[in-house]
Amino acid sequence: MAPPRETIEVTPAEGRPVVSGISDALFWGSLFQGLDRRGPFLQLQIRQLICSAIEEGRLSLGVRMPSSRELATLLKVSRNTVVIAYEQLVDQNFLVSRERSGFYVAGLPKHLGAQPDAVRTAADDCGAARWMERFAVRPSANRNIIKPLNWQDYPYPFIFGQFDPTLFPTNDWRESARAALSVPEINNWARDLIDEDDPALIEQLRLQVLPRRGIRARSDEIMMTIGAQHALYLIARLFTKPETRVGMEDPGYPDARNIFGMLTDKIVPLAVDGDGMVPDASFESCNIAYVTAGHQCPTTAVMPQTRRMELLRKAQERDIVLIEDDYESELISEGASLPPLMSLDRNDRVLYVGSLSKALAPGLRLGYVVAPAPVIRELRALRRLMLRHPPLNNQRVAALFIGLGHYRSHLQRVSRVLLERARILDQLLPQYFNDCSFVRGVGSTSYWVTCPPGCDATELATAALAEGVVIEPGDVFSMTKGTHARCFRLGFSSIRNDRINVGIERLGRLIASMS
Amino acid sequence: MAPPRETIEVTPAEGRPVVSGISDALFWGSLFQGLDRRGPFLQLQIRQLICSAIEEGRLSLGVRMPSSRELATLLKVSRNTVVIAYEQLVDQNFLVSRERSGFYVAGLPKHLGAQPDAVRTAADDCGAARWMERFAVRPSANRNIIKPLNWQDYPYPFIFGQFDPTLFPTNDWRESARAALSVPEINNWARDLIDEDDPALIEQLRLQVLPRRGIRARSDEIMMTIGAQHALYLIARLFTKPETRVGMEDPGYPDARNIFGMLTDKIVPLAVDGDGMVPDASFESCNIAYVTAGHQCPTTAVMPQTRRMELLRKAQERDIVLIEDDYESELISEGASLPPLMSLDRNDRVLYVGSLSKALAPGLRLGYVVAPAPVIRELRALRRLMLRHPPLNNQRVAALFIGLGHYRSHLQRVSRVLLERARILDQLLPQYFNDCSFVRGVGSTSYWVTCPPGCDATELATAALAEGVVIEPGDVFSMTKGTHARCFRLGFSSIRNDRINVGIERLGRLIASMS
């Protein structure tokens, strides 16, 4: 709501535009140069540009704005758009309107302003060195998966787990998001719930999402997180003492390794074969182990039922807690899915980590953890200290989205599209990657490819990028640098069907030329 | 978008409703008993109730739905509402429509279903005990501020920093939220940005929000967090080694103490007087110190300029890093605000923590930290490990909200309303709290009240709650239990102006009766 009008004294210099010596058209043209005429919400864009110019002092008190007709002509927008924008800015006291004379900048309420003599100087390398010795941890030094942030600018992005704009359920999401903007809904989500979550979302998870994965849970056994990664961080913090032996699949998910590596140096590499993680003597020596049974990350191997049962049995014998990261379930329904470890476990030994936003939009960051109630209780207290709770407006939108059946429809659609891509790749890979070996576990959205001897996948990725093809080199997944130098991950959750052929052809040619 | 229609075989039992022996009207009545006829979006509510009933198996394959006319009559809604709901559910394959016969439940695609013999048993106390020995930390054991979660149900909530529905800028927020639902905006926020933030929001902070507080910062000196608390957690994790001496105001903010207390046992209590934290020898012994210079938490004391300069000088001499939690700036503009420590500091010695969502809706969880670039770099790497980034859709909505000038208008309105409440309280307190002492620093949204001898504030809070009055007992703020047993915090950011009088009268009567 706009505040009631206040009387603001405007004294334009003799009632004329005060544009300090710059020719009018040039000045206004440059002020609005950020306007994207093809973009949405022209009226909002115009308001934003005027607000910023006033806030930053580029438009100062008393400047007369161009008439709505003049500005409309200059910007090539309808006059009505400018009229509405000006009226709103008058309501907000950014402009004042004077009859028969036009609109003037009303200036800003006084604020502190920067202390001119106290502007901080740019940190130089010396400044950086001074800080280093203070840091208790150095997270920036971690080895990590690196994807070009602008992967969307490349025509052939074979990357994993990223957003595909063509799959986003725009209308259904909008319906839910708008419903969450009603006054009663705002009253629900605007509050600080300290250590709780939106009960509506927990209920939707419990009744609709988890049962599809074979998991039954009570509401005190579920907690929301800022994406699945946050669930791992919280679990690691709660369970890892310096002496805790933590089993990590090798190759495995680097961020999970980095998270636990901050808390203990007793990281135990766990062997991986074609059936996923191997429950051998190394496994038996652990206190806690991180497992991707659904699809081993990055090899995509699906752990067979017998090994799942063996893993659970040994975990029980040796009193090992299992963290099951089911990061990719639901995306492709293909063949008979195996039940997750959590649904097979009878001894409250599994902590289950899942994501809601991966299938929708990773930028939303909605994950969750299912665990025995005493664990959830401590996780909630820890999360309260760390950040209280994931934003409640998003929790409510997600609850509505699931409750209206959109999540289920969306997953069906995603599954169809991804399966089609997998079919295309299943045909192309033997043709173009004939010297490579490659696997894709049932239901996985990526292939794990091993290049022929002599072909380094990191060099391949660099060369491919120059040809517009994005892949993820596999070396970073292994604990010992170099072990998986010939491997790469080929994801297909973000590539258009009609781009797959050319992308694979280019990649195949590069592999042949490098080996 | 709805998936293309699939053919689903429906075999209703002889084409009649299959409602297992329960009288029809009763059955449908109970199915829709959750319907809130006064609530918004009746059509959405109806769809949600039908979806849940199908997902949970309460409506099974082949059940014939009531006709749209029947259901409209039963639910007392317009027939068109039911027609639209049914059509949407047909599009989503929850229902099928058979000509001249009506709508039938289409059932659900097969999914795993719970393993009946593997349903986990409820965790009992024994289960809890088993977990205890595994936990590396016990966050649930912390002493913490406790506010009744249902404080909105009490008529006189004198609590601090919570949501006031009458102050939420509903229309302006909606405008920004809807603008963020355009296709180009979705493409912006749906992505995983790994360790980055929405550049538009960083820019708005840099150009509009921070300058009003006298802070100039470059974009590589700002990072978004999940509320201000998250900023404290990240800073603590980055800077606290087991031997790090951390100064904490006493009394002070319990969550900050708890966060650092998880990482070191060298928490140094820092004295507080009427001018806020005292830079004495204890302070000089610290490596890092947490300061609420703007308004000392909980005493509301404003640190005068001379002490600010003294603090900065001593910090520089002793090489102490200062964490400035400016949790309450901007809310009331009252008298001349003093510049924050960060704007006075010339030696890159201050890490500044602020919040965007406190003034709007705590449920949104949008905070930020301003710090030298080498610190922000590590904080980003740490945040990447922990949760990547705060949800980007909310970052984009906030950027639009600020960019459109709504944040500034909103703060002006909030300030007017809160100032009016302060004026009312300034009149009432001397009248009803005549045996107490009380203070409110300029610009603060709470009073710090000390009851007369004999009156325990925790007992007072309990007695007050029984009369519908919510206050926050002060004991939890002090490191040594009992030191502030007679104090309480009286916040006024969530109480209606017309409720203040009766609330204070009741409280005053209780204090008089207990002392």
Side-chain angles (χ1 to χ4, degrees), chain A residues 96-357:
Chain A
V96 287
S97 154
R98 317 179 95 204
E99 220 164 323
R100 263 192 277 263
S101 167
F103 293 89
Y104 293 86
V105 174
L108 282 176
K110 281 199 192 65
H111 59 67
L112 291 174
Q115 313 289 310
D117 56 346
V119 174
R120 286 171 312 114
T121 50
D124 50 21
D125 285 344
C126 170
R130 203 190 86 192
W131 286 106
M132 287 314 144
E133 64 203 45
R134 289 189 181 273
F135 295 148
V137 287
R138 280 294 311 283
S140 73
N142 287 327
R143 282 169 72 216
N144 250 326
I145 301 172
I146 295 165
K147 316 184 199 212
L149 253 190
N150 61 340
W151 60 266
Q152 284 180 312
D153 299 341
Y154 293 90
Y156 312 103
F158 290 100
I159 58 167
F160 173 82
Q162 292 298 306
F163 176 63
D164 182 343
T166 66
L167 286 175
F168 189 76
T170 308
N171 290 329
D172 295 341
W173 184 261
R174 271 187 200 149
E175 180 184 57
S176 315
R178 284 179 181 157
L181 290 170
S182 73
V183 169
E185 293 291 12
I186 292 175
N187 285 344
N188 272 323
W189 61 248
R191 294 182 300 157
D192 176 355
L193 287 186
I194 315 291
D195 63 356
E196 303 207 4
D197 286 305
D198 183 350
L201 180 54
I202 297 290
E203 207 54 11
Q204 293 297 345
L205 273 171
R206 201 172 76 73
L207 296 175
Q208 299 212 30
V209 177
L210 294 173
R212 263 177 248 156
R213 306 184 175 191
I215 294 173
R216 280 198 200 171
R218 296 197 317 266
S219 55
D220 63 355
E221 296 174 320
I222 308 171
M223 182 183 81
M224 299 308 302
T225 57
I226 312 280
Q229 179 124 350
H230 185 215
L232 293 182
Y233 193 96
L234 289 164
I235 290 171
R237 187 68 187 94
L238 181 59
F239 282 95
T240 316
K241 305 171 191 170
E243 69 274 18
T244 305
R245 289 176 62 85
V246 182
M248 279 284 155
E249 298 168 335
D250 187 19
Y253 181 47
D255 270 342
R257 203 163 60 219
N258 291 334
I259 288 170
F260 283 93
M262 272 178 49
L263 296 160
T264 176
D265 51 13
K266 301 205 165 32
I267 301 287
V268 181
L270 302 178
V272 168
D273 65 16
D275 287 343
M277 192 253 268
V278 184
D280 58 11
S282 294
F283 170 73
E284 291 178 26
S285 77
C286 295
N287 304 111
I288 185 163
Y290 171 83
V291 195
T292 53
H295 299 118
Q296 203 276 328
C297 170
T299 67
T300 79
V302 177
M303 188 180 289
Q305 179 84 359
T306 46
R307 184 171 293 180
R308 290 180 193 225
M309 297 312 291
E310 184 192 351
L311 192 66
L312 285 169
R313 186 173 47 74
K314 287 201 171 160
Q316 177 64 10
E317 279 169 19
R318 302 285 173 155
D319 198 18
I320 302 163
V321 173
L322 298 174
I323 304 163
E324 179 174 31
D325 186 351
D326 203 12
Y327 62 99
E328 207 188 19
S329 85
E330 294 195 326
L331 288 185
I332 303 189
S333 80
E334 183 183 18
S337 317
L338 290 172
L341 294 173
M342 169 158 262
S343 78
L344 300 169
D345 169 37
R346 300 176 189 210
N347 303 294
D348 272 6
R349 183 156 293 291
V350 181
L351 318 176
Y352 181 89
V353 172
S355 165
L356 280 181
S357 51

Side-chain angles (χ1 to χ4, degrees), chain B residues 159-176:
Chain B
I159 58 167
F160 173 82
Q162 291 297 307
F163 177 63
D164 182 343
T166 65
L167 285 176
F168 188 76
T170 308
N171 290 329
D172 295 340
W173 184 260
R174 271 187 199 149
E175 180 184 57
S176 314

Side-chain angles (χ1 to χ4, degrees), chain A residues 360-415:
Chain A
L360 276 166
L364 286 172
R365 318 278 334 121
L366 271 176
Y368 55 89
V369 50
V370 186
V375 177
I376 292 292
R377 206 175 304 135
E378 288 301 327
L379 286 175
R380 285 196 177 280
L382 182 57
R383 194 190 68 178
R384 175 225 162 108
L385 265 191
M386 189 183 282
L387 50 78
R388 305 204 168 218
H389 44 66
L392 292 169
N393 63 331
N394 283 348
Q395 294 199 33
R396 183 47 63 112
V397 177
L400 288 161
F401 187 80
I402 302 171
L404 288 165
H406 295 317
Y407 189 61
R408 188 170 77 92
S409 316
H410 174 63
L411 289 179
Q412 286 170 355
R413 182 157 166 267
V414 167
S415 175

Side-chain angles (χ1 to χ4, degrees), chain B residues 296-310:
Chain B
Q296 204 278 328
C297 170
T299 65
T300 80
V302 177
M303 188 181 289
Q305 178 85 357
T306 46
R307 184 171 291 180
R308 291 180 193 225
M309 297 313 289
E310 183 191 354

